[in-house]
Amino acid sequence: MPDKWEMDAEHPTDYQVVETKRGREFIIRLTTGADVFLAIQQFAKDNNIRFAKIHTMFMGGLQPAKFLVWTPDSKNPDNWHNETEMTVDNLTMVLAMSGMIHPRPVKGGQVGEEEPFPAIHFVIGGGWNAPTVGGHLNIGTIVTGVVECFITEVDGIEVLFPSNWRPVGFADEFPENWYKEI
C-alpha cells in the first residue's frame, strides 16, 4: 500500500508537510567557464551538504544554457513527467534560479551510495536575441560573466522513497521522493 505522500489529493486543500531547521548559509560565486550544475554539486560534496535550498540568484549570463522542458508524450498522454533537453546557445541573462540540493542514488553505484543532486529550476531571457524560457537546469550550462546565489543548508529531514521502489539495477532510475522529520 502506498504511503499518504504518494497518493493523489483527496480534496483540493490536501498537502504534506515536514518541518525543517535552517543550517549553514553560503553565498556561492561562479565565474566564466564554470558549469552551474557541476560547480554547485561539487560545493555540496566539499561541504557535506545533503539537503539545501538554492535561492536569491544574482544576475549572470549563461552560454550555452542546457535544460529539460516538459513536452507532450505522444505514446502515453498520461505521462505528465516527460521531459526533453533544450539548448539555448545565445548568450542569455539569468532572470531567476531556485531549487534544492538533495541526496540521490549514484547511477551505477552500490546500494545505499548517494551523492548531492542539485535540482535547479531557472528562467533565462533578456536581450541577445534569446527567448524567455525556463526548465530544469542540466549539466553543460556554462557561466559567462558572474552568477551568484545563496545556498541555505536544510537540517532535520531524511529522504523517503516510494514504498514499492527497490534499488534493483541500483540508480538506473530516480523515483519521486519525499521527506520525513528526524
Side-chain angles (χ1 to χ4, degrees):
M1 175 93 179
D3 290 328
K4 176 88 172 140
W5 68 267
E6 299 175 75
M7 308 294 286
D8 289 341
E10 294 177 9
H11 188 272
T13 59
D14 283 354
Y15 61 90
Q16 290 86 41
V17 64
V18 294
E19 186 173 351
T20 65
K21 296 170 186 67
R22 183 178 294 201
R24 299 171 292 168
E25 296 194 72
F26 304 89
I27 298 175
I28 186 170
R29 178 181 171 93
L30 309 175
T31 56
T32 299
D35 183 300
V36 177
F37 181 98
L38 293 176
I40 290 176
Q41 184 179 48
Q42 187 62 51
F43 164 80
K45 288 176 183 179
D46 292 346
N47 288 279
N48 297 313
I49 294 174
R50 291 187 73 223
F51 298 97
K53 61 182 177 175
I54 301 167
H55 57 106
T56 316
M57 174 48 217
F58 298 119
M59 184 178 80
L62 303 173
Q63 188 174 14
K66 292 182 180 261
F67 51 103
L68 297 175
V69 294
W70 277 344
T71 52
D73 184 342
S74 59
K75 294 180 182 159
N76 179 6
D78 292 330
N79 178 12
W80 60 270
H81 199 264
N82 193 56
E83 294 179 305
T84 303
E85 186 171 73
M86 178 177 180
T87 301
V88 175
D89 288 314
N90 295 3
L91 180 61
T92 57
M93 179 191 302
V94 181
L95 303 174
M97 185 171 91
S98 65
M100 180 173 181
I101 297 169
H102 61 92
R104 192 176 206 183
V106 173
K107 188 168 184 137
Q110 301 298 313
V111 172
E113 187 179 3
E114 65 181 32
E115 64 184 348
F117 180 81
I120 303 169
H121 293 172
F122 76 128
V123 177
I124 57 171
W128 309 297
N129 200 24
T132 300
V133 294
H136 295 121
L137 184 136
N138 272 355
I139 293 172
T141 298
I142 307 301
V143 173
T144 299
V146 175
V147 168
E148 296 178 351
C149 65
F150 281 90
I151 297 180
T152 301
E153 187 175 38
V154 175
D155 293 330
I157 60 173
E158 185 54 68
V159 68
L160 293 172
F161 291 108
S163 54
N164 66 349
W165 185 71
R166 300 291 176 259
V168 176
F170 193 70
D172 290 335
E173 64 175 61
F174 303 109
E176 190 74 26
N177 63 298
W178 183 237
Y179 312 99
K180 67 177 179 179
E181 293 175 32
I182 54 171

